[in-house]
Amino acid sequence: MPSSVRVLGTGQLLDLSRRMRTAGGLRLRQNFSRRIRRAAEPLHKDLQRAIRNQPLVSEGRKAGKRGGPSPTTRPFRAMLAGGVRISVRQGANPGARVWMDTTRLEPGARGVPNRIDEGRLRHPVFGNKRRWANQWARPAGWWSRTVQAGTPRMRAEVERVLGDVRRDLQ
């Protein structure tokens, strides 16, 4: 289920954040933030690619049924991919976070990423609340599988950045 992936508040990050504050190097802090963001970007791109390529299989149109205009103003998968965000923090709780920003989605699609991750999306047909359709995401888990695959790489990169910054401070 889409939530967020965090590499935050570990003891090493907190200690390093305190030491960077006392060292007072603006360049050092900016470099640290940039490299932490860069460590999270592959996971960010993987999540966007996963939702853009996630197949949604439907039941198909029944005999005598008609379509209609789409209720969303932009392409569905592009809208979902645009909701995946990165944030990097310094200070008391430093780290990186990759998360789904539901405020960037259409108002009626706020719960869609969770439903697709679970494998079944039930929605009204072109906004008609009297007619509903099911679509299946095969394979399910676009968020959870991608996060599980990408988190070790992100953590390893953050560890490498921590080691480099620690060497700079000594």
Side-chain angles (χ1 to χ4, degrees), residues 132-145:
W132 289 75
N134 290 311
Q135 288 184 294
W136 289 272
R138 301 283 189 247
W142 73 273
W143 179 274
S144 52
R145 283 184 297 112

Side-chain angles (χ1 to χ4, degrees), residues 2-6 43-44 47 80-88 96-104 143:
S3 58
S4 65
V5 182
R6 297 179 185 193
L43 180 59
H44 177 250
L47 286 166
L80 294 175
V84 180
R85 306 269 312 267
I86 299 177
S87 61
V88 176
R97 179 178 171 210
V98 179
W99 54 292
M100 175 59 79
D101 184 1
T102 57
T103 61
R104 297 182 108 191
W143 179 274

Side-chain angles (χ1 to χ4, degrees), residues 8-56:
L8 297 173
T10 64
Q12 293 176 346
L13 282 174
L14 289 171
D15 179 50
L16 200 57
S17 176
R18 282 188 209 106
R19 290 173 62 192
M20 282 172 35
R21 246 192 325 256
T22 58
L26 178 63
R27 182 195 58 76
L28 185 63
R29 287 195 310 265
Q30 288 173 341
N31 186 31
F32 176 72
S33 292
R34 187 184 76 248
R35 290 184 66 195
I36 294 292
R37 175 175 288 280
R38 204 176 287 158
E41 282 175 357
L43 180 59
H44 177 250
K45 298 294 181 203
D46 289 348
L47 286 166
Q48 287 181 327
R49 189 178 311 110
I51 194 61
R52 282 190 177 110
N53 297 326
Q54 176 67 55
L56 292 173

